[in-house]
Amino acid sequence: MASTETFYEVMRRQGISRRSFLKYCSLTAAALGLAPSYAGRIAEAMETKPRTPVLWLHGLECTCCTESFIRSAHPLAQDVVLSMISLDYDDTLMAAAGHQAEAILEEIRERYRGNYILAVEGNPPLAQDGMSCIIAGRPFLEQLQEVAADCKAVIAWGSCASWGCVQAARPNPTRATPVHEVIRDKPVIKVPGCPPIAEVMTGVITYMLTFDRLPPLDRQGRPLMFYGQRIHDKCYRRPHFDAGQFVESWDDEGARKGYCLYKMGCKGPTTYNACSTVRWNDGVSFPIQSGHGCIGCSERDFWDKDSFYDHVTDTHVFGIEANADRVGIAAAGSVGAAIGAHAVASALHRTKQRDRAQHEEREE
Amino acid sequence: MLQDIPTVRQTAVYVYQAPVRVWHWVNALSILVLAVTGYLIGAPPPTLSGEASDHYLMGNIRFLHFAAAYVFAVGFLFRIYWALVGNTYSRQLFSLPFWRRRFWRELVHELRWYAFLEREPCKYIGHNPLAHLFMVAIITVGGLVMIVTGFALYAEQTGLGSWQDELFGWVIPWVGQSQDVRMWHHWGMWVIVVFVMLHVYTAIREDIMSRQSLISTMISGWRMFKDDRP
Ligand code: HEM
Ligand code: HEM
Ligand code: SF4
Ligand code: SF4
C-alpha cells in the first residue's frame, strides 16, 4: 500500500484533472498568504516530491477536528488533500480495521522511518494508567509515543491536542495531557481551535507536504499565517469597539445594528485564530458575524476561564473564586470607610491629648 | 525681654531632591490616568448612538492609557537611574532593610501609633518603616508587574516582532494566556488604588499628627521637625 509515488501521481490516480490540480495550487498559495508565484512552486513540488505519508491518530477527543477537516470549504481542496495524505491510518476514515489497521501503522513506521508526519487529534489521559483511552487493547499514550518516535514532525490538531480542551478542564479527572507535554523530542505544531477551521487545517498540512518544512511558528508553536493575530485585530465590528458602540443586552438596538460584542463577554481581544478573516463553512460566517461573542475556543484552558459572557472574568487561584471588579470595589469601599473612621478617631484622640497637655501645663 | 518671645526652633533636613519630587507628582498623575482609563477599558461607558465614524471614544480612552503608560514606564526607568546617582533617601524605594531588627521594631511601633497605642510616633528623615514597606511592595514591585503585564498586552497590538513583543511577549505564555494576563493587570489596578487611598490619607494625617512635615517635604524637599526631642 505504501508507495514512493509523487503527490501528483496519487491525485491523477484519484481522478483529479490537471486543471483542477493547478487551480488547487493557486488556491492554496492564496490561503497561505503567499505570492501568486508560489502556485507554480507548489505545483512543482507536488509533481516531483515523493508523497509524504500522514498518520492520523485519535486519542481522547470528540472527532470534531475530523468533521471540520472533511468539510474543507472548497470541494477541490478537500479531494486533493484527502487523496494527498490518503490517510494511511485514520481510525475514523480508513477502510481497514482491527489487526489489519494496526499492521498499516507498523508498516508505515518501518518503511518511512523519520519521514512521515504524525497528526494527532485528541490527547492521552495519564491518570489510572491511561485506561480512559484504550486503543487496540493498550493505552493511547503507548501508541502515541511509539508512532511519534519515528516521525518527522507532529501536528497537534485542535485544542485537545494543543492545550487539553474540555477533557482537561478543572478538575481534569483523567489527567488528559496535551501532546507537547508527552512528546518532547519532536517539533509539535499546534493548530488549536474547537475545532480548527478546515482551511487552516488543509493549509497547514499542504504547506508542510509541499515545502517539506515546518510553517513559521509563534512562541507557542502555532503557525503564524493563521494564528499571528487576534480575532479582535481583524474583526469587522472593530470600528464599533473603537467608537464605543456596544451591544448591552442580547435584544437591544445595538445587537440589531451589529455593534461590538465586548460587553457581552466577547473573547476576541484575547483569542488568536483566523475566524475573522477565513471564517467558517466556505467563508459564510463566523460567531461574531452571527451576533455572538467569540468564546476563545483556540486559547489555552478556555473552559476554565469562567463565564463566556463576562469580560472581566472570575479568578480561581488558591481555591478562591473572585471577580477583580467586585472585590476591588468592595475593598476600595471598605478601605474608604475605614479611613473615614480612623480620621474621626484620630481627630478625637488629638483633641483629648491636647486637652491633657494643656491641663498638665496649667498644673505646672 | 527677648526671652519672653516664644520661639519654636525647627530642624530641617533636605531629603527629596528635585528630580524625586518632580517624579513623584508626574508618577501620581500618570497612575491616576492609568487607573481611570484602565477601569474604563475593562468596563466601557454606555453605548454611543449614531455612526461609528462619528466617535472614537474607546480609541481615545485607550490612547490616554497608553500615553500615560509610557510616562509611567519612562518615569520608572528614570527613578531607577536617580536611585543610582541621587542621595541616600532616593535609594529607599529600591531597598528594604528587612534584615535589620530595628526596621521591624520600628514597623511595629508605627503600627501601634496608628492603632492609638503609642503616644508619639518616631521621627524619620526618610520614610517611616510602614510607608517604606508599602512603597517598595506596591510602587516598585507592583509598578514593575503593571509595566511587564501592560507591555505584554500592548505587544498584542503592536504585533509579533515589535520591540514590545521581543521584550515582553514571553509573558503571555508564561502566565497562561492573554485573558489571564489581563486579569492580573486588572487586579493590579485595584491593589494600587487601595494603596493610593491609604497613602494620601496617611500623608495628610501624619502631616498634622506626627512630629514632622510630609506634604510640604514632597513639594520643597525639606523635612521639618516639630520638636527637638529624639
Ligand atoms: C497616585 C498617587 C500617588 C502615588 C502612586 C504616590 C507614590 C509615592 C511614592 C512612591 C513615594 C516615595 C517617594 C520616593 O521615595 O521616591 C511617595 C512619597 C510621598 N507622597 Fe505620594 N504618591 C501619590 C500621591 C500623593 C498625594 C496626592 C500626596 C499628597 C497628599 C502624596 C504625598 C506624599 C508624601 C508627603 C510623600 C513623602 C513621604 C515621606 O515623607 O516619607 N502622594 N509617594
Ligand atoms: C499603574 C499602572 C496601570 C494600571 C492601574 C492599569 C490598569 C489597566 C486596567 C484596569 C486595564 C483593563 C484590563 C481589562 O481588560 O480588564 C488595562 C488594560 C491595558 N493596559 Fe494597563 N494599567 C497600568 C499600566 C499599564 C502599562 C505600563 C501598560 C503598557 C503599555 C499598559 C497597557 C495596557 C493595555 C495594552 C491594556 C489592554 C487595552 C486593550 O486591549 O484595549 N497598562 N490597564
Ligand atoms: S466583537 Fe469582539 S472581536 Fe469584534 S471588535 Fe468587539 S470585542 Fe473585538
Ligand atoms: S470565533 Fe472564537 S470561539 Fe468562535 S470558533 Fe473562532 S476562535 Fe473559536
Side-chain angles (χ1 to χ4, degrees):
Chain A
M1 191 189 160
S3 66
T4 43
E5 288 171 300
T6 65
F7 287 120
Y8 182 61
E9 281 162 354
V10 177
M11 286 177 201
R12 291 308 297 260
R13 192 155 49 73
Q14 303 260 334
I16 290 165
S17 70
R18 174 143 186 97
R19 187 180 154 77
S20 297
F21 165 72
L22 290 175
K23 230 162 135 187
Y24 166 77
C25 295
S26 325
L27 272 175
T28 305
L32 292 168
L34 301 171
S37 61
Y38 272 87
R41 284 182 52 187
I42 294 178
E44 195 194 319
M46 296 185 97
E47 282 167 347
T48 51
K49 284 222 176 83
R51 188 179 68 91
T52 308
V54 177
L55 295 177
W56 188 310
L57 299 187
H58 296 249
L60 216 52
E61 46 95 329
C62 74
T63 318
C64 80
C65 298
T66 301
E67 289 292 341
S68 175
F69 187 70
I70 60 175
R71 276 164 190 72
S72 197
H74 208 281
L76 190 66
Q78 172 184 319
D79 278 356
V80 173
V81 175
L82 277 181
S83 60
M84 203 163 80
I85 67 175
S86 85
L87 299 175
D88 295 280
Y89 180 95
D90 180 321
D91 304 5
T92 315
L93 300 174
M94 67 190 172
H99 292 298
Q100 200 187 356
E102 299 309 310
I104 296 173
L105 213 56
E106 202 49 42
E107 190 194 321
I108 302 271
R109 269 187 64 197
E110 291 291 316
R111 182 143 180 204
Y112 292 92
R113 196 174 290 278
N115 245 332
Y116 59 90
I117 288 170
L118 172 61
V120 188
E121 181 175 351
N123 55 36
L126 305 185
Q128 300 115 24
D129 299 324
M131 67 172 238
S132 303
C133 187
I134 300 289
I135 290 179
R138 294 185 306 150
F140 173 58
L141 179 66
E142 287 181 20
Q143 187 190 39
L144 175 63
Q145 281 171 335
E146 280 168 20
V147 180
D150 294 321
C151 76
K152 187 153 68 177
V154 182
I155 302 179
W157 282 145
S159 292
C160 300
S162 300
W163 310 122
C165 208
V166 68
Q167 60 273 45
R170 223 179 6 251
N172 191 359
T174 63
R175 255 187 82 210
T177 306
V179 170
H180 67 274
E181 287 181 25
V182 291
I183 307 296
R184 296 185 175 280
D185 55 347
K186 300 282 171 176
V188 177
I189 296 113
K190 297 194 185 91
V191 187
C194 191
I197 305 170
E199 285 71 23
V200 169
M201 301 175 79
T202 50
V204 168
I205 209 160
T206 308
Y207 187 100
M208 291 175 65
L209 295 177
T210 50
F211 294 116
D212 202 13
R213 61 164 185 255
L214 305 184
L217 305 173
D218 72 358
R219 270 188 201 83
Q220 304 184 71
R222 297 173 296 194
L224 279 179
M225 56 271 229
F226 299 116
Y227 297 91
Q229 279 182 309
R230 300 169 299 170
I231 300 288
H232 187 62
D233 295 319
K234 303 162 291 185
C235 177
Y236 79 105
R237 296 195 185 205
R238 182 63 188 263
H240 293 298
F241 173 87
D242 290 333
Q245 298 180 312
F246 302 99
V247 176
E248 306 267 358
S249 69
W250 292 118
D251 51 1
D252 69 0
E253 188 61 21
R256 277 187 288 280
K257 287 189 171 153
Y259 285 176
C260 165
L261 292 154
Y262 189 71
K263 286 192 181 178
M264 305 312 290
C266 178
K267 301 292 186 294
T270 55
T271 303
Y272 290 79
N273 208 338
C275 306
S276 47
T277 44
V278 177
R279 309 193 184 197
W280 287 83
N281 301 322
D282 206 356
V284 169
S285 184
F286 74 114
I288 291 167
Q289 197 171 338
S290 319
H292 190 284
C294 164
I295 62 172
C297 77
S298 53
E299 286 296 309
R300 183 148 123 198
D301 302 334
F302 77 105
W303 295 104
D304 292 334
K305 296 297 169 237
D306 216 68
S307 172
F308 290 152
Y309 303 104
D310 283 323
H311 170 67
V312 180
T313 47
D314 286 6
T315 311
H316 304 263
V317 192
F318 316 122
I320 302 164
E321 201 176 308
N323 178 282
D325 271 353
R326 253 173 279 139
V327 173
I329 290 170
S334 30
V335 168
I339 286 175
H342 197 264
V344 171
S346 302
L348 291 177
H349 188 71
R350 192 169 153 79
T351 21
K352 226 189 288 165
Q353 258 190 345
R354 231 195 236 144
D355 286 351
R356 202 182 306 140
Q358 274 172 358
H359 197 68
E360 278 164 14
E361 248 167 53
R362 238 176 281 139
E363 276 184 359
E364 274 164 20
Chain B
M1 216 169 53
L2 257 178
Q3 290 102 304
D4 290 346
I5 302 169
T7 52
V8 178
R9 230 160 34 92
Q10 284 204 329
T11 322
V13 187
Y14 189 59
V15 187
Y16 298 121
Q17 294 161 296
V20 172
R21 284 177 276 140
V22 171
W23 171 80
H24 174 268
W25 297 111
V26 169
N27 190 50
L29 195 70
S30 72
I31 288 185
L32 198 71
V33 173
L34 282 165
V36 172
T37 54
Y39 179 78
L40 290 175
I41 291 170
T47 282
L48 296 172
S49 54
E51 289 298 317
S53 54
D54 294 342
H55 314 283
Y56 195 57
L57 183 62
M58 280 304 272
N60 287 327
I61 290 173
R62 292 173 64 248
F63 174 78
L64 273 178
H65 193 79
F66 307 145
Y70 272 106
V71 171
F72 181 72
V74 171
F76 194 89
L77 289 179
F78 167 79
R79 191 64 186 74
I80 293 174
Y81 163 75
W82 196 260
L84 298 174
V85 301
N87 64 16
T88 330
Y89 308 105
S90 69
R91 278 187 269 288
Q92 281 194 301
L93 208 47
F94 301 95
S95 66
L96 196 66
F98 54 84
W99 57 87
R100 288 207 191 113
R101 295 272 309 269
R102 180 155 165 230
F103 174 81
W104 296 104
R105 214 175 44 237
E106 289 178 347
L107 183 71
V108 171
H109 185 276
E110 192 68 22
L111 279 169
R112 285 174 57 86
W113 157 244
Y114 280 114
F116 307 107
L117 296 172
E118 296 287 344
R119 246 189 97 98
E120 264 187 348
C122 300
K123 299 203 293 194
Y124 301 97
I125 296 175
H127 302 304
N128 76 57
L130 190 61
H132 192 174
L133 180 66
F134 269 89
M135 278 170 190
V136 171
I138 312 285
I139 298 301
T140 312
V141 179
L144 199 64
V145 169
M146 292 311 276
I147 289 173
V148 169
T149 54
F151 272 99
L153 292 175
Y154 194 59
E156 297 196 296
Q157 42 195 296
T158 54
L160 286 156
S162 62
W163 66 264
Q164 292 91 346
D165 175 63
E166 299 286 326
L167 286 179
F168 300 100
W170 54 272
V171 175
I172 288 174
W174 184 69
V175 174
Q177 53 134 303
S178 179
Q179 180 77 18
D180 300 310
V181 178
R182 276 181 165 248
M183 190 192 71
W184 291 120
H185 194 72
H186 203 111
W187 275 110
M189 173 198 66
W190 286 113
V191 170
I192 291 179
V193 164
V194 168
F195 163 82
V196 168
M197 290 170 69
L198 291 169
H199 173 68
V200 174
Y201 167 63
T202 49
I204 296 170
R205 178 187 193 264
E206 293 309 280
D207 206 63
I208 300 169
M209 308 234 329
S210 77
R211 299 155 64 194
Q212 61 195 56
S213 67
L214 275 97
I215 298 175
S216 59
T217 314
M218 212 16 111
I219 295 170
S220 71
W222 288 87
R223 171 91 72 216
M224 316 277 227
F225 291 103
K226 300 175 189 168
D227 60 55
D228 278 340
R229 285 170 287 121

Short mmCIF file of all heavy atoms in Angstrom, two decimals, chain A residues 193-195 231 271-273 275 280 286-288 293-298, ligand 4:
data_model
loop_
_atom_site.label_atom_id
_atom_site.label_comp_id
_atom_site.label_asym_id
_atom_site.label_seq_id
_atom_site.Cartn_x
_atom_site.Cartn_y
_atom_site.Cartn_z
N GLY A 193 -8.14 25.19 18.27
CA GLY A 193 -9.49 25.57 17.86
C GLY A 193 -10.39 24.41 18.24
O GLY A 193 -9.91 23.28 18.38
N CYS A 194 -11.65 24.68 18.42
CA CYS A 194 -12.54 23.59 18.83
C CYS A 194 -13.77 23.59 17.97
O CYS A 194 -14.82 24.00 18.39
CB CYS A 194 -12.92 23.75 20.30
SG CYS A 194 -13.74 22.31 20.98
N PRO A 195 -13.64 23.08 16.72
CA PRO A 195 -12.44 22.57 16.07
C PRO A 195 -11.68 23.69 15.37
O PRO A 195 -12.16 24.80 15.31
CB PRO A 195 -13.03 21.63 15.01
CG PRO A 195 -14.30 22.32 14.61
CD PRO A 195 -14.82 22.97 15.88
N ILE A 231 -8.49 37.68 16.98
CA ILE A 231 -9.78 37.87 16.32
C ILE A 231 -10.10 39.38 16.30
O ILE A 231 -10.53 39.94 15.30
CB ILE A 231 -10.90 37.14 17.11
CG1 ILE A 231 -10.62 35.63 17.20
CG2 ILE A 231 -12.27 37.42 16.52
CD1 ILE A 231 -10.81 34.88 15.94
N THR A 271 -8.00 36.25 21.86
CA THR A 271 -8.00 34.98 21.15
C THR A 271 -7.26 35.06 19.82
O THR A 271 -7.57 35.92 18.99
CB THR A 271 -9.45 34.51 20.92
OG1 THR A 271 -10.10 34.43 22.18
CG2 THR A 271 -9.49 33.15 20.24
N TYR A 272 -6.33 34.14 19.64
CA TYR A 272 -5.57 34.07 18.39
C TYR A 272 -6.18 33.00 17.51
O TYR A 272 -6.16 31.81 17.84
CB TYR A 272 -4.10 33.75 18.70
CG TYR A 272 -3.40 34.90 19.36
CD1 TYR A 272 -3.57 35.16 20.71
CD2 TYR A 272 -2.62 35.78 18.61
CE1 TYR A 272 -2.97 36.26 21.31
CE2 TYR A 272 -2.01 36.87 19.20
CZ TYR A 272 -2.19 37.10 20.55
OH TYR A 272 -1.60 38.19 21.14
N ASN A 273 -6.75 33.42 16.38
CA ASN A 273 -7.33 32.49 15.42
C ASN A 273 -7.63 33.24 14.13
O ASN A 273 -7.48 34.45 14.07
CB ASN A 273 -8.60 31.85 16.01
CG ASN A 273 -8.85 30.47 15.42
OD1 ASN A 273 -8.36 30.13 14.34
ND2 ASN A 273 -9.61 29.67 16.13
N CYS A 275 -10.63 33.10 12.44
CA CYS A 275 -12.07 33.15 12.16
C CYS A 275 -12.50 34.46 11.51
O CYS A 275 -13.34 34.47 10.62
CB CYS A 275 -12.87 32.95 13.43
SG CYS A 275 -12.42 31.47 14.31
N TRP A 280 -16.03 30.61 8.56
CA TRP A 280 -16.39 29.19 8.60
C TRP A 280 -17.33 28.83 7.45
O TRP A 280 -17.97 29.70 6.88
CB TRP A 280 -17.09 28.87 9.93
CG TRP A 280 -16.14 28.85 11.08
CD1 TRP A 280 -15.69 29.93 11.78
CD2 TRP A 280 -15.50 27.71 11.63
NE1 TRP A 280 -14.80 29.52 12.74
CE2 TRP A 280 -14.68 28.17 12.68
CE3 TRP A 280 -15.53 26.34 11.34
CZ2 TRP A 280 -13.90 27.29 13.45
CZ3 TRP A 280 -14.78 25.48 12.12
CH2 TRP A 280 -13.96 25.95 13.15
N PHE A 286 -18.99 33.67 10.79
CA PHE A 286 -18.29 33.19 11.99
C PHE A 286 -19.06 33.74 13.19
O PHE A 286 -19.93 34.59 13.02
CB PHE A 286 -16.81 33.57 11.97
CG PHE A 286 -16.51 35.02 12.23
CD1 PHE A 286 -15.82 35.40 13.37
CD2 PHE A 286 -16.89 36.02 11.34
CE1 PHE A 286 -15.52 36.73 13.62
CE2 PHE A 286 -16.60 37.34 11.59
CZ PHE A 286 -15.91 37.70 12.73
N PRO A 287 -18.81 33.21 14.38
CA PRO A 287 -19.69 33.53 15.51
C PRO A 287 -20.03 35.01 15.64
O PRO A 287 -21.19 35.37 15.80
CB PRO A 287 -18.92 33.01 16.71
CG PRO A 287 -18.16 31.85 16.17
CD PRO A 287 -17.75 32.27 14.79
N ILE A 288 -19.04 35.88 15.59
CA ILE A 288 -19.30 37.30 15.81
C ILE A 288 -20.24 37.86 14.74
O ILE A 288 -21.12 38.66 15.02
CB ILE A 288 -17.97 38.08 15.88
CG1 ILE A 288 -17.22 37.69 17.16
CG2 ILE A 288 -18.19 39.58 15.81
CD1 ILE A 288 -15.78 38.12 17.21
N GLY A 293 -20.55 36.58 20.83
CA GLY A 293 -19.14 36.84 21.05
C GLY A 293 -18.30 35.61 20.81
O GLY A 293 -18.80 34.49 20.80
N CYS A 294 -17.01 35.84 20.59
CA CYS A 294 -16.05 34.73 20.50
C CYS A 294 -15.90 34.15 21.90
O CYS A 294 -15.86 34.88 22.88
CB CYS A 294 -14.72 35.31 20.00
SG CYS A 294 -13.30 34.25 20.22
N ILE A 295 -15.83 32.80 22.00
CA ILE A 295 -15.66 32.21 23.34
C ILE A 295 -14.21 31.83 23.59
O ILE A 295 -13.88 31.24 24.61
CB ILE A 295 -16.58 30.99 23.56
CG1 ILE A 295 -16.28 29.86 22.57
CG2 ILE A 295 -18.05 31.40 23.49
CD1 ILE A 295 -17.01 28.56 22.87
N GLY A 296 -13.34 32.13 22.64
CA GLY A 296 -11.90 31.87 22.85
C GLY A 296 -11.53 30.42 22.72
O GLY A 296 -10.61 29.95 23.40
N CYS A 297 -12.19 29.69 21.78
CA CYS A 297 -12.03 28.23 21.74
C CYS A 297 -10.62 27.78 21.38
O CYS A 297 -10.29 26.62 21.58
CB CYS A 297 -13.04 27.62 20.79
SG CYS A 297 -12.62 27.82 19.06
N SER A 298 -9.80 28.66 20.82
CA SER A 298 -8.46 28.22 20.44
C SER A 298 -7.42 28.61 21.49
O SER A 298 -6.23 28.44 21.28
CB SER A 298 -8.08 28.82 19.08
OG SER A 298 -8.25 30.21 19.11
S1 SF4 C 4 -14.72 33.00 16.99
FE1 SF4 C 4 -13.53 32.41 18.78
S2 SF4 C 4 -14.73 30.81 19.80
FE2 SF4 C 4 -15.54 31.03 17.74
S3 SF4 C 4 -14.51 29.48 16.56
FE3 SF4 C 4 -13.31 31.38 16.34
S4 SF4 C 4 -11.80 31.26 18.00
FE4 SF4 C 4 -13.34 29.73 18.44
#
